């Protein structure tokens, strides 16, 4: 009787072990669904969600670092048509994007939300190599701009009247944020105006109806060119405010104890129109772009009103002759590529680096004295920037506590149940076999 009770108990233990293990296995898809639903709910951009708090505020400041190219041989370029010799000076660092979004308006009928981005830049001496008053010899913006905008004889007269040349000596602050230009009789600067202005309005999807669209720009809700210009508009938005374009997965990384996926801007983004037809809208000058075969730069002159070309720093992923036309450049995948680190469970961007270069073009002229010795069209780097942001330690701890700890706890419960159930099944099965064998021997 005693043996019978033991065998019955062990059978119950075997069944319970199987049941507990099965429960643990069942919890895997069930738990994943629970986590997915929780993440989806918290990722929607609407009041009360984690995504809303992070989206509206500017807890993690964005820093924009500038490296300016100092021309070492300006007279040699003008008088002998020599290649410009460049020396990189920087970084000069500013805190930007530290202000919360404004004029936030929900559009429930389209599942979008519109807003304005306040623009501001605060110089950070401790993160810079010098002061804003450091001087740099750079391309004269008015002369380079006038080369395309004005008739040659008009520009020649303006150059002589104001006693200027192809290059000028200006401070870092003047080149970046503006100075009174003698030719144009107004304020001119690469990023003028900036402080006190706004980017936008922008409209992004909240993810309420489709979480895969969260934070993606609604082009129909944007002010801008017609639909036939949408590919150009998408990239122009990216270069202004780090908008979404195609990115390719590179590898998995650990960021403050959080697994993130690294995505990088692929070379195809800046490929020539012959390779990437989406870039055809940036080919506005067949001579400068060598019949639209030039890779690595995008002509945004139509949107800037000046012959401005955007590229990756040091012409990374660009045509070889872009680097060969000047001296002092050294493209580096590590230092000059744009990347985005995304947490795979939530899709939140936890770190990014937007690295871009601003260039201007000048070329030969039979009328303009300072350009008579120039042999060919040259796209000259003026400055490259690295705009970065990353979650801080406090945000990382909160993120891990509010989401990842739940995932870890659920996984612990799952594997514990599977382990306990499996152990109970094995032990009870072995014990049942031993007792049954002994009973058989006694018989």
């Amino acid at each position: 009787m005693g043996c019978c009770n033991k065998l019955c108990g062990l059978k119950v233990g075997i069944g319970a072990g199987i049941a507990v293990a099965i429960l643990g296995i069942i919890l895997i898809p069930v738990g994943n669904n629970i986590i997915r639903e929780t993440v989806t709910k918290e990722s929607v951009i609407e009041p009360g969600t984690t995504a809303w708090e992070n989206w509206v505020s500017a807890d993690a400041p964005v820093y924009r670092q500038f490296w300016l190219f100092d021309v070492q041989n300006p007279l040699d370029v003008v008088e002998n048509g020599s290649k410009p010799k460049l020396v990189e000076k920087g970084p000069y660092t500013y805190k930007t994007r530290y202000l919360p979004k404004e004029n936030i308006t929900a559009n429930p009928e389209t599942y979008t939300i519109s807003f304005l981005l306040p623009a501001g830049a605060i110089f950070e001496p401790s993160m810079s190599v010098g002061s804003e008053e450091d001087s740099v010899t750079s391309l004269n913006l008015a002369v380079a701009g006038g080369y395309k905008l004005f008739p040659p004889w008009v520009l020649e007269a303006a150059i002589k009247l104001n006693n200027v040349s192809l290059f000028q000596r200006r401070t870092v602050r003047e080149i970046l944020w503006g100075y009174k230009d003698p030719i144009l009789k107004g304020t001119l600067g690469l990023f003028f105006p900036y402080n006190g202005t706004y980017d936008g309005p922008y409209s992004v999807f909240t993810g309420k109806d489709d979480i895969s669209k969260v934070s993606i720009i609604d082009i129909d809700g944007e002010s801008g060119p017609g639909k036939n210009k949408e590919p150009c508009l998408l990239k122009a938005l990216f270069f202004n405010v780090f908008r979404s374009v195609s990115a390719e997965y590179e590898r998995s990384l650990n960021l403050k104890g959080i697994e993130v996926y690294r995505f990088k801007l692929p070379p195809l983004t800046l490929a020539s129109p012959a390779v990437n037809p989406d870039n055809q809208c940036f080919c506005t000058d067949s001579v400068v772009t060598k019949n639209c075969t030039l890779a690595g730069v995008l002509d945004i002159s139509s949107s800037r009103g000046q012959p401005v070309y955007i590229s990756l720093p040091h012409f990374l992923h660009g045509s070889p002759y872009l680097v060969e036309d000047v001296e002092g450049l050294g493209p580096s995948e590590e230092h000059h590529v744009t990347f985005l680190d995304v947490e795979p469970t939530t899709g939140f961007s936890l770190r990014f680096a937007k690295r871009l270069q601003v260039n201007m073009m000048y070329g030969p002229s039979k009328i303009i004295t300072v350009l008579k010795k120039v042999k060919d069209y040259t796209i000259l780097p003026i400055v490259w920037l690295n705009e970065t942001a990353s979650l801080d330690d406090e945000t990382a701890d909160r993120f891990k506590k509010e989401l990842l700890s739940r995932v870890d706890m659920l996984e612990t419960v799952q594997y514990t149940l599977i382990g306990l159930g499996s152990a109970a099944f094995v032990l009870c099965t072995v014990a049942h076999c031993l007792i049954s064998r002994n009973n058989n021997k006694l018989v």
Side-chain angles (χ1 to χ4, degrees):
M1 191 72 176
C3 290
C4 231
N5 288 336
K6 288 182 180 179
L7 289 174
C8 289
L10 290 173
K11 288 179 180 180
V12 171
I14 292 171
I18 293 174
V20 170
I22 291 175
L23 177 61
I25 294 172
I26 291 174
L27 273 180
I28 293 177
V30 173
N32 289 340
N33 286 334
I34 293 173
I35 292 297
R36 190 178 298 110
E37 290 176 3
T38 301
V39 168
T40 299
K41 182 179 178 181
E42 291 299 314
S43 298
V44 173
I45 303 176
E46 64 179 6
T49 65
T50 302
W52 173 265
E53 297 174 3
N54 294 328
W55 181 80
V56 172
S57 65
D59 289 338
V62 176
Y63 290 97
R64 185 177 291 181
Q65 299 173 297
F66 296 95
W67 284 262
L68 288 84
F69 292 97
D70 190 20
V71 181
Q72 303 294 294
N73 60 335
L75 289 179
D76 199 22
V77 174
V78 173
E79 295 176 358
N80 303 310
S82 301
K83 290 183 180 180
K85 295 180 180 179
L86 307 179
V87 171
E88 187 180 271
K89 294 183 68 174
Y92 295 93
T93 305
Y94 295 80
K95 183 167 70 172
T96 60
R97 301 294 181 215
Y98 54 88
L99 299 169
K101 296 175 177 66
E102 295 185 14
N103 285 22
I104 298 173
T105 305
N107 311 303
E109 66 282 357
T110 57
Y111 299 101
T112 62
I113 190 165
S114 56
F115 59 94
L116 291 174
L117 277 175
I122 300 175
F123 185 63
E124 295 287 347
S126 63
M127 301 172 67
S128 305
V129 296
S131 77
E132 290 183 291
E133 304 308 314
D134 289 353
S135 295
V136 175
T137 298
S138 185
L139 193 64
N140 189 314
L141 304 183
V143 173
Y147 179 73
K148 279 283 191 174
L149 299 177
F150 306 134
W153 62 270
V154 172
L155 182 57
E156 170 70 1
I159 290 173
K160 288 186 174 180
L161 179 64
N162 294 281
N163 193 29
V164 296
S165 186
L166 181 60
F167 299 97
Q168 62 179 347
R169 191 78 175 168
R170 293 282 180 181
T171 66
V172 171
R173 181 171 58 186
E174 287 176 327
I175 294 174
L176 296 178
W177 311 116
Y179 59 91
K180 293 294 182 181
D181 183 76
I183 290 181
L184 300 180
K185 310 303 181 185
T187 304
L188 189 62
L190 292 177
F191 300 97
F192 176 82
Y194 191 79
N195 283 332
T197 64
Y198 291 86
D199 282 342
Y202 298 111
S203 180
V204 299
F205 290 100
T206 63
K208 184 74 172 179
D209 63 325
D210 182 356
I211 197 61
S212 67
K213 295 165 63 177
V214 67
S215 293
I216 293 178
I217 292 178
D218 174 22
I219 295 298
D220 294 331
E222 297 284 326
S223 57
K227 289 189 175 182
N228 62 322
K229 297 271 187 83
E230 282 185 8
C232 298
L233 176 61
L234 283 170
K235 288 188 174 66
L237 287 171
F238 164 75
F239 286 119
N240 283 330
V241 287
F242 195 59
R243 291 299 173 221
S244 297
V245 292
S246 60
E248 58 185 20
Y249 171 81
E250 184 190 40
R251 65 185 188 275
S252 175
L253 299 170
N254 184 292
L255 175 62
K256 299 183 184 297
I258 303 170
E259 182 187 25
V260 294
Y261 289 171
R262 168 67 57 87
F263 291 89
K264 293 169 60 176
L265 196 66
L268 187 65
T269 305
L270 296 175
S272 71
V275 177
N276 183 2
D278 285 346
N279 287 338
Q280 185 65 46
C281 49
F282 294 107
C283 183
T284 60
D285 189 320
S286 60
V287 176
V288 176
T289 61
K290 303 183 186 300
N291 291 323
C292 299
T293 62
L294 184 67
V297 297
L298 299 179
D299 183 356
I300 62 169
S301 302
S302 58
S303 63
R304 297 287 296 181
Q306 296 180 8
V308 176
Y309 294 79
I310 293 295
S311 69
L312 292 183
H314 291 243
F315 296 124
L316 178 70
H317 300 160
S319 298
Y321 45 79
L322 285 170
V323 178
E324 295 168 0
D325 284 346
V326 298
E327 295 182 16
L329 299 183
S332 166
E333 187 78 18
E334 178 183 358
H335 296 105
H336 300 145
V337 77
T338 288
F339 69 83
L340 183 68
D341 290 341
V342 178
E343 197 286 312
T345 305
T346 61
F348 289 165
S349 300
L350 303 185
R351 178 172 59 187
F352 74 82
K354 180 182 75 173
R355 292 158 174 166
L356 300 173
Q357 183 169 290
V358 179
N359 316 274
M360 293 190 73
M361 186 274 297
Y362 66 88
S365 174
K366 295 180 180 180
I367 299 175
I368 304 171
T369 303
V370 297
L371 296 173
K372 286 183 177 180
K373 297 294 184 179
V374 173
K375 298 179 177 64
D376 199 357
Y377 293 97
T378 301
I379 297 178
L380 187 72
I382 308 297
V383 62
W384 75 270
L385 63 89
N386 177 28
E387 188 169 279
T388 61
S390 178
L391 80 168
D392 53 27
D393 292 338
E394 181 181 352
T395 305
D397 291 339
R398 186 169 69 247
F399 185 88
K400 288 184 285 188
K401 179 181 179 181
E402 294 180 357
L403 175 65
L404 300 186
S405 61
R406 300 178 188 179
V407 177
D408 293 340
M409 182 180 68
L410 183 60
E411 288 183 350
T412 300
V413 172
Q414 291 170 348
Y415 291 123
T416 298
L417 290 175
I418 294 173
L420 289 176
S422 300
F425 170 76
V426 171
L427 291 175
C428 290
T429 300
V430 171
H432 184 279
C433 291
L434 291 175
I435 293 175
S436 296
R437 184 183 300 172
N438 290 335
N439 287 344
N440 292 333
K441 288 181 179 179
L442 291 175
V443 174

